[in-house]
Amino acid sequence: KSNRTREPENMNPAEAVRRLLSLEDPPINSLDNDIVGNRPSFPLQADLDKDLRDFNLLRWIYAKSPTLSNSMSTELLHSTQKHLAGSRFAVSSWHIDYLGFLTVVKVEEGAKLWLSCPGMSLAEVGEFAKSREPPQKPLAMYLEDGYILVQPPCVPHFVVGLLPTILTCWMWWCTQWIPNILRQAQLELKHPDVTN
């Protein structure tokens, strides 16, 4: 994103890779929402598909939604798996992941410092959204090659790249969380800058 804005910059792939590896240019984060071909499989995907049916809400919507436009349901499903690439010292400032998703991140290559504040109530997250002040006493985690982080919904977090890093990210909704998802959606409508 451009310096001090939330507007994405468009760049061709060669320029993006050059910037990701550069030590002279300003750091960047790159997001690929449209993973095509063989989509990466989460290590516990078989368990989620068989035993934890509550976590297949989006797949069910996608399969049962002939009335939704094809592009809308495809976009919704694709938003649940993505690749994130970041250069050294690239920052994702304090935010929550959108719409109450459970987020799973696997570090494919590189290293990140991940500050997280689990256990905050929705009211406390609302105060954070209003003030935009960093939460107090975050949990600091060092993530490197092969590490997997499972982050509950509505958790404020701050991430900085310690090395050029590639992540694979999966996001799930659980049917039992629908009331909280709707509450978080209300919060996001009031404070759109609170999400990534």
Side-chain angles (χ1 to χ4, degrees), residues 74-85:
T74 300
E75 183 178 325
L76 183 62
L77 185 64
H78 281 203
S79 73
T80 63
Q81 292 182 314
K82 55 190 75 180
H83 286 136
L84 303 162

Side-chain angles (χ1 to χ4, degrees), residues 18 68 101 147 155 167:
R18 188 193 69 72
L68 287 176
F101 280 108
Y147 280 39
V155 172
L167 306 174

